[in-house]
Amino acid sequence: MPSSVLPRPLDSGPGDEIGVLETVFEAAPFPIAIIDHAAALLFANGTFKREWLGENQRPATLSTLLHVQDQARFHRAIEGLDIGSASERLELRFLDPSGSPRWAVTTFAPLGKNLKGQFLFAVHLADVTDQRLQIEELAERESRWDNALVSSVSGVWDHNYATGQKYYSPVWRQIRGMSPEDPLAASTEEWLKLVHPDDRDRVIHAMARQNAGDPAYAVFDYRERHKQGHWVWIECRGACVEWDATGKATRVVGTDTDITARKAADEKTAQMSRRLDMALEISGIGVYESDFSTGEVDWDERMFRIYGLAKSEEVKIGGLWESFLHPDDAARVQANVLDHIEEGKRFSDQYRVILRDGSERVVRTRTMSFIDGNGHPKMVGANWDVTADVALHRELERAKTLAEARNRDLEAARSSIEHNAMHDYLTDLPNRRYLDEMLDRVAAECARDRHGIAILHIDLDRFKQINDTLGHSAGDMMLKHAAKVLRGTIRKGDFVARIGGDEFVILSKFEGSPRKLSHLADRIIGELRKPVSYEGNDCRFGASIGIACHTGAEVDARQLLLNADIALYRAKNRGRNRHEFFSADTHNAIISTKRISDEILLALERDEFIPYYQLQFDAATLEIAGVETLARWMHPERGMLSPDQFLEMAEELDAVSVIDGIILDKALADFRDWRAHGLSIPKLSVNVSYRRLHDASLSRKLKKLRIEPGTVSFELLESIFLDNCDGDVLKNLARIRKLGIDIEIDDFGTGHASIISLLRLNPRALKIDRELVRLVSQSQKQRKMVGSIIEIGKSLNIEVVAEGVETTEQIRILRDLGCDVLQGYALARPMPRASIPDFIRSGRWRPSESL
């Protein structure tokens, strides 16, 4: 630096140490100067001068270049330095020639003392004004940012991946319903479990793109589960602020905002807009707005569609629309618009337009006028094409005239349909549907008026035979006749219905006298029993009637109908052509029957049916001729039951065939066991039911039993198996004989078998019914009848067995009459299998005296 700029120290010369430093500092590319403790500027290199001094500025001290607020700090810093001090660094403000502050990092380095003993310092200035301004600007931004966040509802988050630290503001937690103490998710994967499943993939992708600095993903939204369980919509705004050397994001900062309410509002708005647009589109309504100040008219797409125009057409008041008006409607329509131009007026109109293709359409409009914010009178309205509606209206008017002409016919048809729906097509009596309605109605009347109700359930007897023999036409005529009889027999106010087949129901008021109901039932039965002529045939049928009645408010009409049905069942079981009243005993009998039915089925499962045996004896020698198998029920509570206590119910259950099979299997096992132990029993007879003989697989089942031919016979009831025996049964009997099983006729003399049918069946033996045997010792007539049966048997080479032999006198008479085999209490009672061996070995059936 020339000496004219800065004076040399008095004790320095060109060759001393200071001169050397000046030479070195002058060559330095950065600003550097030399000062003493008083801050006197002893030297400044060229760079220092250019960057920090003006062209004509010659400050005596460096402190004069400093901002006034930094001068004291500057002097304190250099006063504390000595020869052994380390370099001192301060950030100070300097004033440039224009007076503007500049920030510089000022470094003081001790150089030592000159010849005058002054302590000298080297001063280096590094301009950091731009950095300082950036810091101040950043601080200002941070201040504004902090203030904005405090006053907003946005939650701040800061992810520093370099340090592993994450920050979440209180508002961030509040958005999610979290308190400051609630733990955060342990990992990103754990947090993603709180994100709605439909949003997870999108959130993962958005986070990755946001970290990569993709501006398209600086903002995205998603749903996250609130602490209370519901979903909240969150708008995430974030950006990467720090990267590593490879460009990977190391710090991402952002905000989360709860936009749930906004989303709901947007969805509601979108929904309303969608609904409106769909409604307009579906209805074909076009919307327009006219500005009477500017003459401009705004049509939507549907308006152009109604008038068959392209959207490029310009619409002005007094122009396009008016040109379409039908000449006969134009003046009226335009006058109507002008009359309603005042604010708030609404009106409707309908007019014709002629489109450019020449077609005529009818348009309906609804319009309202208003004044907008600029004071312009405007009108908004809707148009829709009602051409088809008008045409339809005209057609409907024409059809209305025709419909009114047909109204009476339709009313008659409706009445007929209603009648048919509620009445039986054949007898024209009310049907079951009508009866159900009447039951409800009468029950309500009973509850209100407390009078009684009676139901007669009628079933025609022998109707099926007439239907089967004379045909359905005859059956239909009988039903019509029955309906006529019932109509003519019931009392005034009674209700009669056909509820199906040959069943009828009478619904009547009950005045507390069962006798009147009984007389009514007898009268109906008497009338229905009278013969009816059909194509030269006298058709006779009768009726069984079940009656149920009840008095009082708490009547259950449908239960009463069921009770009448139960009573009808009892009347039919007691011989038909009669009536029965429902009673507790009737109900109990039904329950008992049901209980027995259930017990029979259970007994089959438990194997409670067992065989009992009654020995048969040669009439001449009283030697054992065979043994009859009898079914018994070993009831767990009622003890041993004979067939008369369960057979009828077993027949209804179709279980007799199963019981027959069980008894046969057990009897064969016992029979073989006895013979294996040396007991001489020539044969075994077993009862077989009529239904079992219809089993096409019976012979195959019997074949599997390997029955020794001539040792087993099946007993058939005469009343069932002779004259009424059908072809399938006869075929089965033939197959049974081929297996070596004999046929016997049981209870002979009680049925109506002919000699022809007896010959056709050709049994090995027949058993005289016990009722004929019982009086053989008291009645000569009875004795002759038994003798005749024996003679018939001998003449046909059929063995004759007498059952029910109870006295020695009967034994003698039957033997003298030529009977072959005897069976009865006089010789042996029925007994279980275990008692047979001892009884036979004891011989106690033999009389002490010779007969």
Side-chain angles (χ1 to χ4, degrees), residues 31 51-52 65-71 73 90-96 99-107 124-137:
E51 294 182 3
W52 294 96
L65 298 176
L66 288 170
H67 191 283
V68 65
Q69 294 179 358
D70 290 348
Q71 289 177 3
R73 192 157 59 94
L90 293 177
E91 191 171 304
L92 301 172
R93 283 170 293 180
F94 288 84
L95 298 176
D96 64 11
S100 300
R102 294 173 62 192
W103 285 91
V105 175
T106 307
T107 305
H124 169 250
L125 299 182
D127 190 348
V128 292
T129 304
D130 290 342
Q131 292 91 326
R132 186 71 184 191
L133 291 175
Q134 289 176 2
I135 291 172
E136 289 177 354
E137 184 181 0

mmCIF file of all heavy atoms in Angstrom, residues 31 51-52 65-71 73 90-96 99-107 124-137:
data_model
loop_
_atom_site.group_PDB
_atom_site.id
_atom_site.type_symbol
_atom_site.label_atom_id
_atom_site.label_comp_id
_atom_site.label_asym_id
_atom_site.label_seq_id
_atom_site.Cartn_x
_atom_site.Cartn_y
_atom_site.Cartn_z
ATOM 1 N N PRO A 31 -9.535 -9.700 1.500
ATOM 2 C CA PRO A 31 -9.320 -8.419 2.183
ATOM 3 C C PRO A 31 -8.638 -8.625 3.523
ATOM 4 O O PRO A 31 -9.134 -9.418 4.337
ATOM 5 C CB PRO A 31 -10.728 -7.853 2.326
ATOM 6 C CG PRO A 31 -11.629 -9.025 2.266
ATOM 7 C CD PRO A 31 -10.981 -10.024 1.376
ATOM 8 N N GLU A 51 -13.132 -3.722 -1.737
ATOM 9 C CA GLU A 51 -14.382 -4.311 -1.240
ATOM 10 C C GLU A 51 -14.978 -3.550 -0.065
ATOM 11 O O GLU A 51 -16.197 -3.605 0.159
ATOM 12 C CB GLU A 51 -14.143 -5.769 -0.847
ATOM 13 C CG GLU A 51 -13.800 -6.656 -2.026
ATOM 14 C CD GLU A 51 -13.616 -8.104 -1.621
ATOM 15 O OE1 GLU A 51 -13.815 -8.415 -0.420
ATOM 16 O OE2 GLU A 51 -13.311 -8.950 -2.498
ATOM 17 N N TRP A 52 -14.116 -2.833 0.725
ATOM 18 C CA TRP A 52 -14.653 -2.262 1.964
ATOM 19 C C TRP A 52 -14.443 -0.755 2.095
ATOM 20 O O TRP A 52 -15.039 -0.124 2.974
ATOM 21 C CB TRP A 52 -13.988 -2.954 3.177
ATOM 22 C CG TRP A 52 -14.382 -4.392 3.238
ATOM 23 C CD1 TRP A 52 -13.681 -5.424 2.760
ATOM 24 C CD2 TRP A 52 -15.580 -4.893 3.763
ATOM 25 N NE1 TRP A 52 -14.345 -6.600 2.940
ATOM 26 C CE2 TRP A 52 -15.559 -6.305 3.587
ATOM 27 C CE3 TRP A 52 -16.710 -4.352 4.384
ATOM 28 C CZ2 TRP A 52 -16.590 -7.145 3.999
ATOM 29 C CZ3 TRP A 52 -17.729 -5.201 4.804
ATOM 30 C CH2 TRP A 52 -17.676 -6.567 4.601
ATOM 31 N N LEU A 65 -15.572 2.542 10.335
ATOM 32 C CA LEU A 65 -16.338 1.834 9.296
ATOM 33 C C LEU A 65 -17.463 0.991 9.879
ATOM 34 O O LEU A 65 -18.313 0.471 9.150
ATOM 35 C CB LEU A 65 -15.416 0.911 8.492
ATOM 36 C CG LEU A 65 -14.279 1.576 7.716
ATOM 37 C CD1 LEU A 65 -13.411 0.517 7.056
ATOM 38 C CD2 LEU A 65 -14.842 2.512 6.668
ATOM 39 N N LEU A 66 -17.470 0.824 11.218
ATOM 40 C CA LEU A 66 -18.426 -0.084 11.859
ATOM 41 C C LEU A 66 -19.748 0.610 12.140
ATOM 42 O O LEU A 66 -19.811 1.829 12.356
ATOM 43 C CB LEU A 66 -17.849 -0.606 13.176
ATOM 44 C CG LEU A 66 -16.714 -1.621 13.060
ATOM 45 C CD1 LEU A 66 -16.089 -1.862 14.428
ATOM 46 C CD2 LEU A 66 -17.220 -2.928 12.475
ATOM 47 N N HIS A 67 -20.806 -0.221 12.191
ATOM 48 C CA HIS A 67 -22.113 0.252 12.642
ATOM 49 C C HIS A 67 -21.959 0.679 14.079
ATOM 50 O O HIS A 67 -21.260 0.060 14.866
ATOM 51 C CB HIS A 67 -23.154 -0.887 12.517
ATOM 52 C CG HIS A 67 -24.564 -0.445 12.697
ATOM 53 N ND1 HIS A 67 -25.110 -0.178 13.921
ATOM 54 C CD2 HIS A 67 -25.551 -0.218 11.768
ATOM 55 C CE1 HIS A 67 -26.367 0.162 13.773
ATOM 56 N NE2 HIS A 67 -26.663 0.161 12.451
ATOM 57 N N VAL A 68 -22.627 1.739 14.465
ATOM 58 C CA VAL A 68 -22.453 2.302 15.793
ATOM 59 C C VAL A 68 -22.755 1.296 16.893
ATOM 60 O O VAL A 68 -22.161 1.323 17.977
ATOM 61 C CB VAL A 68 -23.329 3.575 15.934
ATOM 62 C CG1 VAL A 68 -24.829 3.215 15.852
ATOM 63 C CG2 VAL A 68 -23.029 4.298 17.249
ATOM 64 N N GLN A 69 -23.712 0.350 16.630
ATOM 65 C CA GLN A 69 -24.085 -0.618 17.655
ATOM 66 C C GLN A 69 -23.043 -1.716 17.831
ATOM 67 O O GLN A 69 -23.094 -2.446 18.815
ATOM 68 C CB GLN A 69 -25.448 -1.242 17.308
ATOM 69 C CG GLN A 69 -26.602 -0.258 17.348
ATOM 70 C CD GLN A 69 -27.930 -0.916 16.978
ATOM 71 O OE1 GLN A 69 -27.968 -2.096 16.652
ATOM 72 N NE2 GLN A 69 -29.000 -0.126 17.021
ATOM 73 N N ASP A 70 -22.082 -1.834 16.879
ATOM 74 C CA ASP A 70 -21.075 -2.893 16.979
ATOM 75 C C ASP A 70 -19.702 -2.363 17.401
ATOM 76 O O ASP A 70 -18.761 -3.144 17.635
ATOM 77 C CB ASP A 70 -20.939 -3.605 15.615
ATOM 78 C CG ASP A 70 -22.159 -4.433 15.277
ATOM 79 O OD1 ASP A 70 -23.015 -4.641 16.186
ATOM 80 O OD2 ASP A 70 -22.285 -4.891 14.126
ATOM 81 N N GLN A 71 -19.534 -1.010 17.511
ATOM 82 C CA GLN A 71 -18.204 -0.448 17.787
ATOM 83 C C GLN A 71 -17.692 -0.837 19.176
ATOM 84 O O GLN A 71 -16.523 -1.196 19.348
ATOM 85 C CB GLN A 71 -18.257 1.083 17.655
ATOM 86 C CG GLN A 71 -18.405 1.556 16.208
ATOM 87 C CD GLN A 71 -18.540 3.061 16.089
ATOM 88 O OE1 GLN A 71 -18.463 3.789 17.094
ATOM 89 N NE2 GLN A 71 -18.731 3.539 14.860
ATOM 90 N N ARG A 73 -18.426 -3.424 20.986
ATOM 91 C CA ARG A 73 -18.056 -4.842 20.996
ATOM 92 C C ARG A 73 -16.726 -5.060 20.291
ATOM 93 O O ARG A 73 -15.922 -5.898 20.691
ATOM 94 C CB ARG A 73 -19.183 -5.655 20.313
ATOM 95 C CG ARG A 73 -19.083 -7.141 20.483
ATOM 96 C CD ARG A 73 -20.447 -7.805 20.297
ATOM 97 N NE ARG A 73 -21.008 -7.521 18.984
ATOM 98 C CZ ARG A 73 -20.868 -8.329 17.922
ATOM 99 N NH1 ARG A 73 -20.159 -9.427 18.044
ATOM 100 N NH2 ARG A 73 -21.408 -8.010 16.772
ATOM 101 N N LEU A 90 -15.380 -12.314 15.167
ATOM 102 C CA LEU A 90 -16.654 -11.662 15.455
ATOM 103 C C LEU A 90 -17.433 -11.468 14.158
ATOM 104 O O LEU A 90 -16.834 -11.296 13.082
ATOM 105 C CB LEU A 90 -16.423 -10.293 16.109
ATOM 106 C CG LEU A 90 -15.799 -10.256 17.517
ATOM 107 C CD1 LEU A 90 -15.584 -8.817 17.937
ATOM 108 C CD2 LEU A 90 -16.682 -10.980 18.518
ATOM 109 N N GLU A 91 -18.772 -11.462 14.293
ATOM 110 C CA GLU A 91 -19.619 -11.131 13.146
ATOM 111 C C GLU A 91 -20.102 -9.710 13.370
ATOM 112 O O GLU A 91 -20.857 -9.428 14.308
ATOM 113 C CB GLU A 91 -20.806 -12.099 13.057
ATOM 114 C CG GLU A 91 -21.566 -11.979 11.745
ATOM 115 C CD GLU A 91 -22.596 -13.083 11.586
ATOM 116 O OE1 GLU A 91 -22.228 -14.283 11.657
ATOM 117 O OE2 GLU A 91 -23.788 -12.729 11.400
ATOM 118 N N LEU A 92 -19.611 -8.774 12.507
ATOM 119 C CA LEU A 92 -19.842 -7.349 12.711
ATOM 120 C C LEU A 92 -20.469 -6.727 11.475
ATOM 121 O O LEU A 92 -20.351 -7.252 10.353
ATOM 122 C CB LEU A 92 -18.516 -6.642 13.002
ATOM 123 C CG LEU A 92 -17.742 -7.136 14.237
ATOM 124 C CD1 LEU A 92 -16.388 -6.487 14.273
ATOM 125 C CD2 LEU A 92 -18.533 -6.857 15.510
ATOM 126 N N ARG A 93 -21.181 -5.610 11.730
ATOM 127 C CA ARG A 93 -21.782 -4.866 10.632
ATOM 128 C C ARG A 93 -20.869 -3.684 10.250
ATOM 129 O O ARG A 93 -20.470 -2.894 11.122
ATOM 130 C CB ARG A 93 -23.142 -4.337 11.035
ATOM 131 C CG ARG A 93 -24.241 -5.375 11.033
ATOM 132 C CD ARG A 93 -25.510 -4.855 11.665
ATOM 133 N NE ARG A 93 -25.332 -4.619 13.099
ATOM 134 C CZ ARG A 93 -26.287 -4.159 13.907
ATOM 135 N NH1 ARG A 93 -27.465 -3.860 13.412
ATOM 136 N NH2 ARG A 93 -26.061 -3.990 15.194
ATOM 137 N N PHE A 94 -20.535 -3.590 8.975
ATOM 138 C CA PHE A 94 -19.766 -2.476 8.433
ATOM 139 C C PHE A 94 -20.672 -1.649 7.535
ATOM 140 O O PHE A 94 -21.646 -2.184 6.957
ATOM 141 C CB PHE A 94 -18.564 -2.988 7.630
ATOM 142 C CG PHE A 94 -17.472 -3.564 8.475
ATOM 143 C CD1 PHE A 94 -17.528 -4.892 8.907
ATOM 144 C CD2 PHE A 94 -16.387 -2.784 8.861
ATOM 145 C CE1 PHE A 94 -16.535 -5.428 9.688
ATOM 146 C CE2 PHE A 94 -15.378 -3.331 9.644
ATOM 147 C CZ PHE A 94 -15.452 -4.658 10.071
ATOM 148 N N LEU A 95 -20.347 -0.367 7.414
ATOM 149 C CA LEU A 95 -21.138 0.506 6.548
ATOM 150 C C LEU A 95 -20.372 0.738 5.260
ATOM 151 O O LEU A 95 -19.212 1.140 5.267
ATOM 152 C CB LEU A 95 -21.395 1.836 7.249
ATOM 153 C CG LEU A 95 -22.192 1.755 8.562
ATOM 154 C CD1 LEU A 95 -22.295 3.131 9.216
ATOM 155 C CD2 LEU A 95 -23.569 1.189 8.315
ATOM 156 N N ASP A 96 -21.069 0.461 4.126
ATOM 157 C CA ASP A 96 -20.398 0.708 2.853
ATOM 158 C C ASP A 96 -20.465 2.207 2.549
ATOM 159 O O ASP A 96 -21.114 2.971 3.296
ATOM 160 C CB ASP A 96 -21.021 -0.134 1.733
ATOM 161 C CG ASP A 96 -22.466 0.232 1.456
ATOM 162 O OD1 ASP A 96 -22.937 1.263 1.977
ATOM 163 O OD2 ASP A 96 -23.147 -0.533 0.725
ATOM 164 N N GLY A 99 -23.598 3.992 3.030
ATOM 165 C CA GLY A 99 -24.201 3.967 4.357
ATOM 166 C C GLY A 99 -25.000 2.720 4.648
ATOM 167 O O GLY A 99 -25.556 2.566 5.736
ATOM 168 N N SER A 100 -25.066 1.797 3.692
ATOM 169 C CA SER A 100 -25.809 0.548 3.891
ATOM 170 C C SER A 100 -24.959 -0.426 4.694
ATOM 171 O O SER A 100 -23.740 -0.517 4.484
ATOM 172 C CB SER A 100 -26.161 -0.075 2.546
ATOM 173 O OG SER A 100 -26.960 0.806 1.790
ATOM 174 N N PRO A 101 -25.556 -1.140 5.633
ATOM 175 C CA PRO A 101 -24.790 -2.093 6.444
ATOM 176 C C PRO A 101 -24.417 -3.331 5.647
ATOM 177 O O PRO A 101 -25.178 -3.791 4.814
ATOM 178 C CB PRO A 101 -25.730 -2.426 7.591
ATOM 179 C CG PRO A 101 -27.097 -2.210 7.031
ATOM 180 C CD PRO A 101 -26.988 -1.091 6.053
ATOM 181 N N ARG A 102 -23.215 -3.812 5.941
ATOM 182 C CA ARG A 102 -22.755 -5.099 5.377
ATOM 183 C C ARG A 102 -22.212 -5.930 6.521
ATOM 184 O O ARG A 102 -21.491 -5.415 7.397
ATOM 185 C CB ARG A 102 -21.647 -4.857 4.335
ATOM 186 C CG ARG A 102 -22.113 -4.130 3.094
ATOM 187 C CD ARG A 102 -20.937 -3.793 2.206
ATOM 188 N NE ARG A 102 -20.244 -4.982 1.724
ATOM 189 C CZ ARG A 102 -19.052 -4.980 1.115
ATOM 190 N NH1 ARG A 102 -18.426 -3.829 0.946
ATOM 191 N NH2 ARG A 102 -18.506 -6.111 0.700
ATOM 192 N N TRP A 103 -22.589 -7.205 6.499
ATOM 193 C CA TRP A 103 -22.132 -8.111 7.559
ATOM 194 C C TRP A 103 -20.840 -8.776 7.129
ATOM 195 O O TRP A 103 -20.700 -9.184 5.974
ATOM 196 C CB TRP A 103 -23.183 -9.194 7.838
ATOM 197 C CG TRP A 103 -24.378 -8.684 8.619
ATOM 198 C CD1 TRP A 103 -25.527 -8.189 8.116
ATOM 199 C CD2 TRP A 103 -24.472 -8.621 10.033
ATOM 200 N NE1 TRP A 103 -26.390 -7.817 9.105
ATOM 201 C CE2 TRP A 103 -25.757 -8.073 10.334
ATOM 202 C CE3 TRP A 103 -23.624 -8.947 11.096
ATOM 203 C CZ2 TRP A 103 -26.196 -7.864 11.640
ATOM 204 C CZ3 TRP A 103 -24.086 -8.742 12.389
ATOM 205 C CH2 TRP A 103 -25.359 -8.201 12.661
ATOM 206 N N ALA A 104 -19.912 -8.853 8.079
ATOM 207 C CA ALA A 104 -18.634 -9.514 7.781
ATOM 208 C C ALA A 104 -18.189 -10.321 8.991
ATOM 209 O O ALA A 104 -18.331 -9.884 10.136
ATOM 210 C CB ALA A 104 -17.568 -8.489 7.433
ATOM 211 N N VAL A 105 -17.669 -11.485 8.690
ATOM 212 C CA VAL A 105 -17.019 -12.269 9.747
ATOM 213 C C VAL A 105 -15.604 -11.696 9.881
ATOM 214 O O VAL A 105 -14.793 -11.786 8.948
ATOM 215 C CB VAL A 105 -16.987 -13.762 9.416
ATOM 216 C CG1 VAL A 105 -16.187 -14.523 10.475
ATOM 217 C CG2 VAL A 105 -18.409 -14.316 9.309
ATOM 218 N N THR A 106 -15.310 -11.048 11.032
ATOM 219 C CA THR A 106 -14.054 -10.333 11.254
ATOM 220 C C THR A 106 -13.141 -11.165 12.131
ATOM 221 O O THR A 106 -13.522 -11.538 13.245
ATOM 222 C CB THR A 106 -14.321 -8.982 11.936
ATOM 223 O OG1 THR A 106 -15.309 -8.263 11.149
ATOM 224 C CG2 THR A 106 -13.056 -8.159 12.034
ATOM 225 N N THR A 107 -11.956 -11.472 11.560
ATOM 226 C CA THR A 107 -10.998 -12.303 12.289
ATOM 227 C C THR A 107 -9.788 -11.433 12.679
ATOM 228 O O THR A 107 -9.188 -10.750 11.819
ATOM 229 C CB THR A 107 -10.519 -13.478 11.434
ATOM 230 O OG1 THR A 107 -11.677 -14.211 10.995
ATOM 231 C CG2 THR A 107 -9.607 -14.384 12.224
ATOM 232 N N HIS A 124 -8.934 -9.713 9.068
ATOM 233 C CA HIS A 124 -9.455 -10.317 7.821
ATOM 234 C C HIS A 124 -10.971 -10.199 7.828
ATOM 235 O O HIS A 124 -11.631 -10.552 8.824
ATOM 236 C CB HIS A 124 -9.036 -11.783 7.711
ATOM 237 C CG HIS A 124 -9.760 -12.492 6.604
ATOM 238 N ND1 HIS A 124 -10.697 -13.447 6.833
ATOM 239 C CD2 HIS A 124 -9.659 -12.332 5.259
ATOM 240 C CE1 HIS A 124 -11.168 -13.875 5.686
ATOM 241 N NE2 HIS A 124 -10.538 -13.209 4.703
ATOM 242 N N LEU A 125 -11.543 -9.671 6.727
ATOM 243 C CA LEU A 125 -12.999 -9.519 6.615
ATOM 244 C C LEU A 125 -13.550 -10.498 5.571
ATOM 245 O O LEU A 125 -13.037 -10.541 4.441
ATOM 246 C CB LEU A 125 -13.360 -8.092 6.207
ATOM 247 C CG LEU A 125 -12.928 -6.970 7.165
ATOM 248 C CD1 LEU A 125 -13.399 -5.620 6.633
ATOM 249 C CD2 LEU A 125 -13.476 -7.200 8.558
ATOM 250 N N ALA A 126 -14.581 -11.252 5.962
ATOM 251 C CA ALA A 126 -15.282 -12.156 5.016
ATOM 252 C C ALA A 126 -16.732 -11.695 4.936
ATOM 253 O O ALA A 126 -17.463 -11.744 5.941
ATOM 254 C CB ALA A 126 -15.207 -13.599 5.486
ATOM 255 N N ASP A 127 -17.139 -11.237 3.770
ATOM 256 C CA ASP A 127 -18.491 -10.697 3.592
ATOM 257 C C ASP A 127 -19.538 -11.826 3.708
ATOM 258 O O ASP A 127 -19.525 -12.780 2.935
ATOM 259 C CB ASP A 127 -18.594 -10.030 2.219
ATOM 260 C CG ASP A 127 -19.888 -9.237 2.078
ATOM 261 O OD1 ASP A 127 -20.791 -9.386 2.924
ATOM 262 O OD2 ASP A 127 -19.992 -8.452 1.115
ATOM 263 N N VAL A 128 -20.408 -11.697 4.688
ATOM 264 C CA VAL A 128 -21.487 -12.696 4.882
ATOM 265 C C VAL A 128 -22.843 -12.004 4.841
ATOM 266 O O VAL A 128 -23.822 -12.470 5.425
ATOM 267 C CB VAL A 128 -21.306 -13.437 6.220
ATOM 268 C CG1 VAL A 128 -20.084 -14.320 6.195
ATOM 269 C CG2 VAL A 128 -21.276 -12.475 7.396
ATOM 270 N N THR A 129 -22.891 -10.866 4.140
ATOM 271 C CA THR A 129 -24.153 -10.117 4.097
ATOM 272 C C THR A 129 -25.284 -10.947 3.501
ATOM 273 O O THR A 129 -26.392 -11.002 4.050
ATOM 274 C CB THR A 129 -23.962 -8.831 3.277
ATOM 275 O OG1 THR A 129 -22.883 -8.070 3.845
ATOM 276 C CG2 THR A 129 -25.242 -7.992 3.277
ATOM 277 N N ASP A 130 -24.995 -11.606 2.370
ATOM 278 C CA ASP A 130 -26.066 -12.414 1.730
ATOM 279 C C ASP A 130 -26.546 -13.522 2.655
ATOM 280 O O ASP A 130 -27.753 -13.767 2.790
ATOM 281 C CB ASP A 130 -25.540 -13.014 0.420
ATOM 282 C CG ASP A 130 -25.328 -11.944 -0.641
ATOM 283 O OD1 ASP A 130 -25.895 -10.839 -0.487
ATOM 284 O OD2 ASP A 130 -24.604 -12.234 -1.616
ATOM 285 N N GLN A 131 -25.597 -14.205 3.307
ATOM 286 C CA GLN A 131 -25.994 -15.284 4.220
ATOM 287 C C GLN A 131 -26.821 -14.735 5.383
ATOM 288 O O GLN A 131 -27.809 -15.346 5.823
ATOM 289 C CB GLN A 131 -24.761 -16.011 4.767
ATOM 290 C CG GLN A 131 -23.988 -16.809 3.722
ATOM 291 C CD GLN A 131 -22.894 -15.975 3.062
ATOM 292 O OE1 GLN A 131 -23.088 -14.756 2.879
ATOM 293 N NE2 GLN A 131 -21.787 -16.620 2.698
ATOM 294 N N ARG A 132 -26.364 -13.532 5.864
ATOM 295 C CA ARG A 132 -27.079 -12.955 7.006
ATOM 296 C C ARG A 132 -28.500 -12.565 6.618
ATOM 297 O O ARG A 132 -29.448 -12.792 7.375
ATOM 298 C CB ARG A 132 -26.308 -11.717 7.502
ATOM 299 C CG ARG A 132 -26.875 -11.109 8.769
ATOM 300 C CD ARG A 132 -26.617 -11.991 9.967
ATOM 301 N NE ARG A 132 -27.244 -11.437 11.157
ATOM 302 C CZ ARG A 132 -27.020 -11.864 12.385
ATOM 303 N NH1 ARG A 132 -26.152 -12.878 12.571
ATOM 304 N NH2 ARG A 132 -27.621 -11.316 13.416
ATOM 305 N N LEU A 133 -28.607 -11.989 5.448
ATOM 306 C CA LEU A 133 -29.945 -11.626 4.984
ATOM 307 C C LEU A 133 -30.836 -12.862 4.814
ATOM 308 O O LEU A 133 -32.034 -12.833 5.120
ATOM 309 C CB LEU A 133 -29.842 -10.871 3.656
ATOM 310 C CG LEU A 133 -29.229 -9.462 3.745
ATOM 311 C CD1 LEU A 133 -29.070 -8.863 2.341
ATOM 312 C CD2 LEU A 133 -30.098 -8.554 4.619
ATOM 313 N N GLN A 134 -30.221 -13.923 4.312
ATOM 314 C CA GLN A 134 -30.993 -15.164 4.165
ATOM 315 C C GLN A 134 -31.449 -15.702 5.512
ATOM 316 O O GLN A 134 -32.584 -16.174 5.673
ATOM 317 C CB GLN A 134 -30.147 -16.218 3.438
ATOM 318 C CG GLN A 134 -29.931 -15.916 1.970
ATOM 319 C CD GLN A 134 -29.018 -16.935 1.308
ATOM 320 O OE1 GLN A 134 -28.589 -17.890 1.962
ATOM 321 N NE2 GLN A 134 -28.716 -16.712 0.035
ATOM 322 N N ILE A 135 -30.527 -15.607 6.504
ATOM 323 C CA ILE A 135 -30.888 -16.090 7.849
ATOM 324 C C ILE A 135 -32.015 -15.247 8.426
ATOM 325 O O ILE A 135 -32.972 -15.768 9.019
ATOM 326 C CB ILE A 135 -29.646 -16.055 8.773
ATOM 327 C CG1 ILE A 135 -28.634 -17.119 8.320
ATOM 328 C CG2 ILE A 135 -30.048 -16.273 10.221
ATOM 329 C CD1 ILE A 135 -27.301 -17.030 9.031
ATOM 330 N N GLU A 136 -31.902 -13.925 8.239
ATOM 331 C CA GLU A 136 -32.945 -13.051 8.766
ATOM 332 C C GLU A 136 -34.279 -13.313 8.063
ATOM 333 O O GLU A 136 -35.341 -13.327 8.693
ATOM 334 C CB GLU A 136 -32.519 -11.596 8.594
ATOM 335 C CG GLU A 136 -31.381 -11.172 9.520
ATOM 336 C CD GLU A 136 -30.938 -9.725 9.261
ATOM 337 O OE1 GLU A 136 -31.465 -9.133 8.290
ATOM 338 O OE2 GLU A 136 -30.112 -9.228 10.028
ATOM 339 N N GLU A 137 -34.163 -13.499 6.742
ATOM 340 C CA GLU A 137 -35.391 -13.806 6.002
ATOM 341 C C GLU A 137 -35.997 -15.129 6.474
ATOM 342 O O GLU A 137 -37.206 -15.267 6.652
ATOM 343 C CB GLU A 137 -35.102 -13.864 4.505
ATOM 344 C CG GLU A 137 -36.365 -14.090 3.675
ATOM 345 C CD GLU A 137 -36.054 -14.164 2.190
ATOM 346 O OE1 GLU A 137 -34.869 -14.045 1.814
ATOM 347 O OE2 GLU A 137 -37.001 -14.356 1.410
#
